[in-house]
Amino acid sequence: MPAETNNPNRRSWIGYSKDSHFPIQNIPFGVFLTRENVITIGTRIGDHAIDLGALQELGYFSNVPLTDDMFMQDTLNDFISDGKKTWRLVRNRIGDIFDKENSELRDHKENRDRVIFHMDEVEMQLPVLIGDYTDFYSSKEHAVNVGSMFRDKENALMPNWIHMPIAYHGRSSSIIPSGINIHRPKGQMLDNNSQDPIFGSSKKVDFELETAFITTDANKLGEPIDINHAEDYIFGMVLLNDWSARDIQKWEYAPLGPFLGKNFATSISPWIVTMDALEPFRCSGPDQEKTPLKYLKHRPKSSFDIHLEVDLTPENGTPTTLTKSNFKHLYWSMSQQLAHHTINGCRINSGDLMGSGTISGSTSDSYGSMLELSWNGQQPIKLNDGTQRNFIEDNDTVTMRGYCNNSSVRIGFGEVSNKLIPSYTSSGKGSK
């Protein structure tokens, strides 16, 4: 069954600009709160959110085999569990409903008013209930840069790095949507003038420019996922900012890796862009230095050409674009990540989130973190207003955007944007 919505010549009766991230060829999925305070599953075309629950209730999905309440829920987990065939049927049907030549909803004002909202009228939510979160470390450029700072240039990459995708298990309870403020974290850090740690607010809060993929129910406990079928179990992708406290991280990371330096906040963009929508932008990733073991040998063109960028905006200030990178720089592909994750029989469930790891390019203007851009504070970053940053300051807002573009269409993720605010101050409740 082809992904009919990908037709680049298709147009919608909902208008949008040529630069929109959300043309009719996209049809992402998300969850939002309507003006009537109803949480519903939806999609987006241009600057309009579309209530799929209302569409289903009105009978517009009568020819698609769905449970009666599929889109009348507050997460996408059940829909994702239905699998690739259902995703494609629904996406194709949405494309048909909103096609410029289709009058069944276009000419029915009462139904249109119930189904379509301007984005200003809705409040986006986390799209899935995330049971597990894994963050990979798959950009070679990023790994070399960080290894050079924390160890030395000769041993920047650990010996295992070029043989398998490295990852750690993150904290799903701290994953938040765009628009939520984040408190500056506190923890232990090593003072430069002492061998003993101090406690306080992190002075080196950082962003990490990442994407993430979201899985369906993929396997039984003990059953590996074959790399040649791995993408069948990936519903779609989001942008991800894995907020980091570099001073806390540096003191704690040996021997077991990230903990408090990472688990205070991870933010994701609200719209999940499906793998079908991304298919026209498939490309090759970097040549791999070592031939991977058989279970990690993937097909050609296992990456995607996704432009990524990060802005930093001081309070009441103007944004400065800090970096421009691309998903295709990742050394390890999503298929390799998922195949490796399950080679030991680890079970993967609907709604699991898999972060790519920081995505850095080979040039200094494509680095995916402040740690690299300022080289751990040694080379301050100049903003448009003349001020400088080594790391993120209180009341700075970090905004990430991502999109694919060719001569025919642009498919985007929108943005994930969050403000860093001062450390949490206890009211004294529950303390003595």
Side-chain angles (χ1 to χ4, degrees):
M1 181 200 343
E4 297 167 0
T5 304
N6 288 5
N7 181 350
N9 297 317
R10 187 167 227 173
R11 297 293 178 265
S12 174
W13 49 264
I14 293 180
Y16 49 83
S17 74
K18 64 180 178 63
D19 296 324
S20 174
H21 283 206
F22 303 100
I24 195 172
Q25 289 82 8
N26 192 339
I27 310 296
F29 292 90
V31 173
F32 57 83
L33 185 68
T34 71
R35 56 190 172 221
E36 288 83 19
N37 289 321
V38 174
I39 293 182
T40 187
I41 289 171
T43 188
R44 177 174 177 175
I45 296 178
D47 292 328
H48 291 85
I50 297 160
D51 184 344
L52 296 182
L55 270 181
Q56 183 178 14
E57 195 172 10
L58 291 166
Y60 286 91
F61 292 113
S62 58
N63 292 329
V64 180
L66 299 170
T67 58
D68 291 342
D69 65 343
M70 178 62 79
F71 296 125
M72 302 167 196
Q73 304 185 39
D74 56 6
T75 75
L76 280 158
N77 292 63
D78 282 356
F79 176 60
I80 294 172
S81 289
D82 249 27
K84 189 173 183 177
K85 181 179 178 180
T86 298
W87 312 335
R88 186 168 289 179
L89 282 169
V90 167
R91 186 166 169 270
N92 284 347
R93 175 60 180 144
I94 294 169
D96 288 341
I97 294 168
F98 292 93
D99 187 280
K100 187 176 181 179
E101 304 303 323
N102 190 337
S103 63
E104 59 180 317
L105 179 62
R106 183 194 67 195
D107 297 346
H108 199 306
K109 185 179 184 304
E110 183 178 349
N111 287 356
R112 284 203 325 268
D113 290 343
R114 182 176 170 189
V115 167
I116 301 172
F117 301 82
H118 193 273
M119 286 304 301
D120 291 341
E121 299 177 288
V122 303
E123 182 180 326
M124 298 305 299
Q125 310 291 306
L126 277 178
V128 291
L129 178 63
I130 301 166
D132 280 297
Y133 162 46
T134 299
D135 193 33
F136 285 90
Y137 190 50
S138 290
S139 165
K140 186 176 180 182
E141 291 81 2
H142 174 69
V144 168
N145 287 339
V146 175
S148 298
M149 284 182 235
F150 283 12
R151 291 184 294 276
D152 61 80
K153 290 183 178 180
E154 300 301 319
N155 298 292
L157 279 183
M158 299 297 283
N160 60 355
W161 198 95
I162 58 173
H163 293 280
M164 63 181 177
I166 302 299
Y168 74 95
H169 192 72
R171 181 72 181 172
S172 60
S173 65
S174 302
I175 298 173
I176 57 172
S178 181
I180 302 296
N181 292 340
I182 295 167
H183 286 281
R184 181 178 294 273
K186 296 178 180 179
Q188 289 190 26
M189 298 155 284
L190 196 62
D191 189 285
N192 291 334
N193 301 315
S194 172
Q195 294 183 338
D196 294 322
I198 59 172
F199 176 81
S201 296
S202 170
K203 296 179 177 62
K204 293 185 175 183
V205 176
D206 198 358
F207 67 82
E208 288 192 338
L209 173 59
E210 302 192 28
T211 63
F213 65 87
I214 293 168
T215 64
T216 185
D217 300 296
N219 60 338
K220 300 175 182 177
L221 185 65
E223 176 189 13
I225 296 173
D226 187 293
I227 192 166
N228 294 312
H229 303 291
E231 280 191 19
D232 291 340
Y233 302 103
I234 298 175
F235 174 63
M237 295 176 64
V238 293
L239 303 174
L240 184 146
N241 184 354
D242 192 28
W243 293 78
S244 302
R246 300 300 186 184
D247 38 11
I248 296 173
Q249 180 185 0
K250 183 178 179 181
W251 171 237
E252 73 180 1
Y253 85 101
L256 291 181
F259 186 33
L260 301 186
K262 295 277 192 178
N263 71 1
F264 63 98
T266 301
S267 47
I268 64 172
S269 55
W271 294 106
I272 305 173
V273 178
T274 65
M275 301 308 294
D276 273 350
L278 295 171
E279 184 61 32
F281 307 95
R282 186 178 290 278
C283 66
S284 298
D287 291 335
Q288 299 203 310
E289 188 175 326
K290 293 274 189 181
T291 301
L293 295 174
K294 185 177 180 181
Y295 79 94
L296 288 173
K297 288 184 179 179
H298 58 190
R299 299 170 179 170
K301 293 191 175 182
S302 291
S303 191
F304 297 87
D305 185 5
I306 305 172
H307 302 275
L308 301 165
E309 58 188 43
V310 181
D311 286 357
L312 186 145
T313 308
E315 189 168 32
N316 301 318
T318 58
T320 298
T321 299
L322 300 182
T323 187
K324 293 184 178 181
S325 190
N326 196 296
F327 179 82
K328 67 183 180 183
H329 296 320
L330 282 180
Y331 186 92
W332 295 105
S333 71
M334 292 185 290
S335 294
Q336 289 174 315
Q337 290 169 348
L338 189 54
H340 183 66
H341 201 313
T342 62
I343 196 62
N344 66 343
C346 175
R347 185 177 175 187
I348 302 297
N349 296 315
S350 172
D352 285 355
L353 188 75
M354 309 283 181
S356 64
T358 304
I359 303 171
S360 293
S362 59
T363 58
S364 59
D365 59 353
S366 63
Y367 292 164
S369 66
M370 298 278 280
L371 178 69
E372 297 164 272
L373 291 166
S374 73
W375 209 254
N376 200 19
Q378 297 176 32
Q379 302 168 13
I381 304 161
K382 188 174 181 178
L383 304 186
N384 290 337
D385 62 5
T387 61
Q388 295 182 332
R389 293 289 187 278
N390 293 328
F391 290 92
I392 303 169
E393 295 187 3
D394 287 348
N395 301 310
D396 285 347
T397 297
V398 176
T399 302
M400 296 179 176
R401 288 180 294 275
Y403 64 91
C404 309
N405 200 51
N406 59 29
S407 59
S408 302
V409 69
R410 173 176 292 202
I411 299 293
F413 294 81
E415 64 180 36
V416 54
S417 186
N418 302 84
K419 178 188 282 190
L420 181 71
I421 60 176
S423 297
Y424 182 79
T425 302
S426 174
S427 63
K429 184 178 179 180
S431 61
K432 294 182 180 180

